[in-house]
Amino acid sequence: MPSDPENELAAVIAGAQELLQWEDALGGTGFPAPKAAPPVRAPLGAGRTESDAEDIVARLEVLSNEAAKCIRCELSRGRTKSVFARGTPGTDLVFVGEGPGFHEDEQGLPFVGRAGQLLDRMIAAMGYARDGVYICNVVKCRPPDNRTPLLTEAAACAHFLVPQLDLVQPKAIVALGRCAAENLGVVPPAGKWRGIWGEWRGIPVMPTYHPAFLLRSPQFKKPVWEDLQEVLRKLNRAPATR
Ligand code: URA
């Protein structure tokens, strides 16, 4: 097929604009901050009624209260607060991280430290309100020195994560970092794991790098943005406009 220089130019400009927008959203300099995304009305999901939605919120609260008293693994000994979730249970998009850090343990909320601020900017760049998505972790209590949760700890906490995701039933999950990807069963036995769609109980899962890793290695922001754009395509949504 003959190439169309006008279309090619338009595609290059669109790609460059998207990248600038992403750099900007992630703290680049020289560009205005993205406009706050409008609040997302939480969809009820296929076949869900208002009363189903209320029931789901109530059941999540029961789980959250149970997690606050849980002594299934050693992590409970060091916790200040358990960290169950933040955001909107009726959303189409869930982010799963590894486990709470210092600030999360103090506040009882996931992703409120520096990595959380970066995650918030990623979410805004995707066109969602900060609390228009649902965010949780593989383990609900802080591992000592922020180490990766042990398999036994993650297995114990699956008691919460599995029903939590089953109740929220998003249309897509983003697994933040290898630990989340492994625990959702989407890491291939060998080779590349980031950016390859997997599935958790029928829900598409996009594994990508953890925001804490991006803080240390910002050169990987671009592939992460590509992964998030894949997610937006899956959800038939467009990134935020400036
Ligand atoms: N890192 C995570 O994986 N989860 C948090 O809640 C905070 C930092």
Side-chain angles (χ1 to χ4, degrees):
M1 220 165 80
S3 67
D4 176 343
E6 263 188 25
N7 276 349
E8 273 177 26
L9 184 62
V12 168
I13 291 171
Q17 277 173 337
E18 260 171 18
L19 191 54
L20 286 177
Q21 184 185 336
W22 173 237
E23 285 296 330
D24 179 24
L26 295 190
T29 53
F31 302 98
K35 283 194 200 112
V40 176
R41 163 88 174 85
L44 287 172
R48 282 185 178 178
T49 63
E50 289 285 349
S51 98
D52 291 339
E54 279 166 24
D55 186 45
I56 287 163
V57 170
R59 290 213 237 166
L60 287 168
E61 201 174 327
V62 169
L63 275 177
S64 171
N65 292 338
E66 195 191 325
K69 296 188 213 116
C70 173
I71 48 166
R72 284 167 184 269
C73 83
E74 291 291 303
L75 294 184
S76 58
R77 290 171 173 267
R79 93 178 151 229
T80 310
K81 287 186 178 168
S82 60
V83 175
F84 191 71
R86 69 172 165 96
T88 302
T91 185
D92 56 357
L93 180 58
V94 166
F95 289 83
V96 179
E98 183 174 305
F102 174 83
H103 297 285
E104 291 77 18
D105 173 69
E106 287 226 305
Q107 295 182 40
L109 291 168
F111 283 99
V112 289
R114 273 187 72 222
Q117 285 159 20
L118 177 55
L119 179 60
D120 286 345
R121 293 200 292 276
M122 291 157 61
I123 290 166
M126 292 177 81
Y128 284 85
R130 180 178 184 269
D131 290 319
V133 298
Y134 187 84
I135 304 175
C136 60
N137 284 309
V138 169
V139 292
K140 311 305 185 207
C141 298
R142 183 188 180 199
D145 302 320
N146 298 338
R147 66 157 168 74
T148 304
L150 303 176
L151 276 180
T152 48
E153 293 158 353
C157 225
H159 174 81
F160 298 106
L161 183 64
V162 171
Q164 186 173 29
L165 296 177
D166 263 344
L167 283 167
V168 175
Q169 277 295 318
K171 295 211 174 70
I173 298 173
V174 176
L176 296 168
R178 194 176 173 111
C179 168
E182 278 176 351
N183 280 285
L184 294 174
V186 297
V187 172
K192 190 181 155 195
W193 61 274
R194 190 230 97 235
I196 301 173
W197 281 111
E199 237 181 55
W200 182 87
R201 294 184 176 227
I203 302 172
V205 179
M206 173 56 76
T208 196
Y209 295 138
H210 194 285
F213 171 71
L214 293 183
L215 289 174
R216 297 190 299 273
S217 309
Q219 69 273 25
F220 291 108
K221 285 173 181 175
K222 186 169 180 281
V224 170
W225 179 230
E226 284 162 8
D227 297 343
L228 298 182
Q229 282 179 300
E230 263 295 311
V231 172
L232 289 173
R233 273 192 284 278
K234 178 79 77 190
L235 297 172
N236 291 320
R237 293 178 63 113
T241 50
R242 287 199 289 154

